[in-house]
Amino acid sequence: MNKIQIIDAHKHVGEKVKIGAWIANKRSSGKIAFLNLRDGSAFFQGVVVKSEVEEEVFQTAKNVTQESSVWVVGTVQEDSRSKFGYEIHIETIEIIGDAVDYPITPKEHGTEFLMDNRHLWLRSSKQHAIMQVRNEIIRATYEFFNQEGFVKVDPPILTGSAAENTTELFHTEYFDRDAFLSQSGQLYMEAGAMALGKVFSFGPTFRAEKSKTRRHLIEFWMIEPEMAFMDQDDSLEVQEKYVAYLVQSVLDHCDHSLDVLERDKELLKQYTQLPYPRISYDEAVELLNKNDFSVTWGEDFGSPEETFIAEQYDKPVFILNYPKAIKPFYMKPHPTREDIVLCADMIAPEGYGEIIGGSQREDDYDALREQVEAFGLDTKEYEWYLDLRNYGSVPHSGFGLGLERVVTWLSGTEHIREAIPFPRLLNRIYP
């Protein structure tokens, strides 16, 4: 007799198997008990028919509590009524560990209660499906960049300098000097690109913003590619190709999870069609002001503005070339306009907002040093970064994609906190 995982049930139709599982839920009548079993790989139904098993087995099935762990032995059968397609007709059931007064019952619970019990909420079918989508995005990310000839480089988490706004840094002390939790690995990725050509990092990122929106986290994971000898247009092509690859991978490998999440697969398929539309910042301001918004040129866009722009298209859209004054110091100015920079944000459809921010980097030493000083940054802290322009500088570009935002979008969930496995300390302080 084989011991199997639920996800492999389709390979064992008609066979007697043994499965270790937890009781996600149950219901019973006088003659049949239905157990919703989960084992970490998937969920499916276990059926116990009173007339076909010993009385002790039926009573165990009838009285077992939610989230108790069990061994079940039975025969796998097809079940056309369920989305999963299979079930097990149980012959014996053995309790491994009892669960008493499990707090997350099948009734409705508020988000704060569920987040406070995230260590348990993660067991639910919806959260399981979201984590499957997250896992596939991570797997597909490595696959995509490996296929495209990128090398993974790991930047430090504790840094002595800021990539963007110094007011958004978490400060700590590193022996006798100041240090900060990384808000981006980008500067280090630029050094990596000068050595290895095309690189990417994938790691935790921290922003000291007391935000309580459904789109923001204080600690999250970023994928940050950097590419030598590539301009902004080259980078945009990589970005859209990467995002379309992620969407297709989720469609190919998370079919059942998308069913559980009730995600519209036909809608997701639209997002694999390239190229994605492009609109300049100037055009976006004009569009918004023609449609009852009041946006002054030079302001950044908020959630309502991004959502409206995205609604004009049936797939992700790039907003190009923002004002220089609202962007970080390292972005290269537009060749014909000093007031804007060569950058782009990719805005996801369906109101999910920005999922990528990228730019062509300033590759001239003098121009970059001037920007470092203009932003009030300590040039000594950035000498190594300026050095990259002193020794064979080349045009180069890069971008950052927020993992949790993409998970939220592709899984169709309402709140970004559902896209993280656990409520990290910083995200609990300012939920």
Side-chain angles (χ1 to χ4, degrees):
M1 181 173 57
N2 291 318
K3 183 167 66 175
I4 71 166
Q5 288 189 298
I6 292 172
I7 196 67
D8 295 323
H10 67 283
K11 302 175 184 177
H12 299 275
V13 175
E15 296 180 19
K16 182 184 287 190
V17 299
K18 183 177 184 178
I19 298 175
W22 292 271
I23 306 297
N25 200 358
K26 69 169 187 177
R27 58 187 175 89
S28 64
S29 64
K31 298 181 179 180
I32 304 178
F34 298 95
L35 307 179
N36 187 8
L37 303 172
R38 67 173 190 86
D39 70 346
S41 72
F43 291 67
F44 81 157
Q45 180 172 263
V47 181
V48 186
V49 180
K50 185 175 183 179
S51 62
E52 297 177 359
V53 299
E54 295 182 4
E55 181 63 23
E56 181 183 356
V57 173
F58 186 77
Q59 289 304 317
T60 298
K62 188 175 179 180
N63 296 320
V64 66
T65 56
Q66 183 185 3
E67 286 304 319
S68 290
S69 54
V70 296
W71 288 112
V72 297
V73 173
T75 303
V76 176
Q77 297 187 6
E78 292 186 2
D79 178 14
S80 60
R81 296 164 299 176
S82 77
K83 291 180 179 178
F84 185 72
Y86 303 91
E87 64 184 14
I88 183 170
H89 283 232
I90 296 172
E91 298 175 14
T92 65
I93 179 169
E94 174 190 347
I95 304 294
I96 303 170
D98 282 316
V100 180
D101 297 329
Y102 186 69
I104 305 178
T105 59
K107 71 175 185 178
E108 289 290 325
H109 295 281
T111 301
E112 292 307 314
F113 171 83
L114 292 171
M115 287 307 300
D116 285 343
N117 289 278
R118 180 61 170 170
H119 58 295
L120 301 176
W121 188 29
L122 200 61
R123 303 180 182 191
S124 73
S125 60
K126 179 184 176 184
Q127 302 308 310
H128 178 273
I130 293 171
M131 290 302 107
Q132 293 289 342
V133 171
R134 179 188 174 103
N135 183 67
E136 178 56 27
I137 291 170
I138 293 170
R139 188 204 66 78
T141 289
Y142 281 93
E143 184 174 78
F144 175 83
F145 286 114
N146 285 333
Q147 290 175 358
E148 294 294 318
F150 284 72
V151 177
K152 185 174 185 290
V153 175
D154 298 316
I157 294 176
L158 282 177
T159 70
S161 56
E164 298 190 10
N165 189 338
T166 55
T167 62
E168 296 178 0
L169 291 171
F170 281 103
H171 175 263
T172 185
E173 290 186 3
Y174 186 73
F175 298 102
D176 60 346
R177 61 169 292 177
D178 290 334
F180 307 92
L181 291 178
S182 174
Q183 63 177 184
S184 171
Q186 179 213 310
L187 305 189
Y188 298 97
M189 289 302 97
E190 290 188 50
M194 297 305 109
L196 298 164
K198 295 192 293 186
V199 298
F200 77 104
S201 66
F202 193 163
T205 305
F206 306 86
R207 301 286 169 91
E209 298 175 292
K210 296 183 180 181
S211 175
K212 292 187 177 182
T213 76
R214 69 183 183 92
R215 291 184 178 179
H216 290 87
L217 293 170
I218 292 171
E219 178 187 353
F220 54 98
W221 283 67
M222 284 273 283
I223 297 96
E224 296 184 277
E226 202 71 29
M227 301 156 287
F229 304 103
M230 284 199 177
D231 62 19
Q232 170 75 343
D233 290 336
D234 297 327
S235 178
L236 296 183
E237 290 184 13
V238 174
Q239 291 173 46
E240 62 188 1
K241 186 177 178 181
Y242 169 44
V243 171
Y245 191 89
L246 295 181
V247 178
Q248 189 62 58
S249 292
V250 169
L251 285 166
D252 290 343
H253 300 286
C254 298
D255 187 67
H256 180 64
S257 294
L258 294 174
D259 284 340
V260 171
L261 295 166
E262 300 181 337
R263 194 67 169 105
D264 186 339
K265 297 174 193 174
E266 292 304 314
L267 189 60
L268 290 179
K269 288 178 184 177
Q270 293 179 196
Y271 307 152
T272 65
Q273 303 303 307
L274 299 180
Y276 292 161
R278 289 140 167 81
I279 181 175
S280 71
Y281 173 87
D282 293 348
E283 292 167 334
V285 169
E286 183 179 355
L287 172 67
L288 291 165
N289 288 335
K290 284 181 178 178
N291 289 275
D292 300 324
F293 287 87
S294 180
V295 180
T296 301
W297 195 96
E299 295 177 346
D300 205 353
F301 300 138
S303 175
E305 290 81 9
E306 288 181 347
T307 298
F308 180 82
I309 293 168
E311 287 172 348
Q312 311 311 303
Y313 305 93
D314 60 1
K315 46 191 171 183
V317 55
F318 287 110
I319 303 176
L320 309 176
N321 304 336
Y322 282 73
K324 179 179 179 179
I326 61 173
K327 288 297 182 180
F329 71 93
Y330 51 76
M331 295 187 178
K332 189 173 184 65
H334 192 278
T336 63
R337 286 179 56 181
E338 279 294 319
D339 59 339
I340 60 175
V341 288
L342 295 172
C343 69
D345 289 347
M346 183 190 291
I347 310 301
E350 305 174 75
Y352 285 95
E354 178 194 338
I355 54 172
I356 287 182
S359 72
Q360 186 168 337
R361 317 311 192 188
E362 178 57 76
D363 51 74
D364 180 79
Y365 177 91
D366 292 331
L368 182 61
R369 187 179 186 91
E370 184 179 317
Q371 281 296 100
V372 171
E373 293 172 351
F375 272 68
L377 302 173
D378 185 351
T379 54
K380 291 182 180 178
E381 293 288 348
Y382 291 87
E383 284 297 343
W384 70 269
Y385 183 62
L386 290 163
D387 258 356
L388 303 178
R389 279 74 180 169
N390 258 339
Y391 303 106
S393 185
V394 299
H396 60 287
S397 301
F399 61 93
L401 177 142
L403 172 63
E404 284 80 7
R405 285 196 179 184
V406 176
V407 174
T408 304
W409 166 43
L410 295 187
S411 60
T413 56
E414 182 177 347
H415 204 295
I416 196 169
R417 285 187 293 170
E418 293 187 64
I420 57 176
F422 300 105
R424 300 165 191 145
L425 174 62
L426 299 176
N427 292 325
R428 288 175 66 89
I429 295 173
Y430 302 115

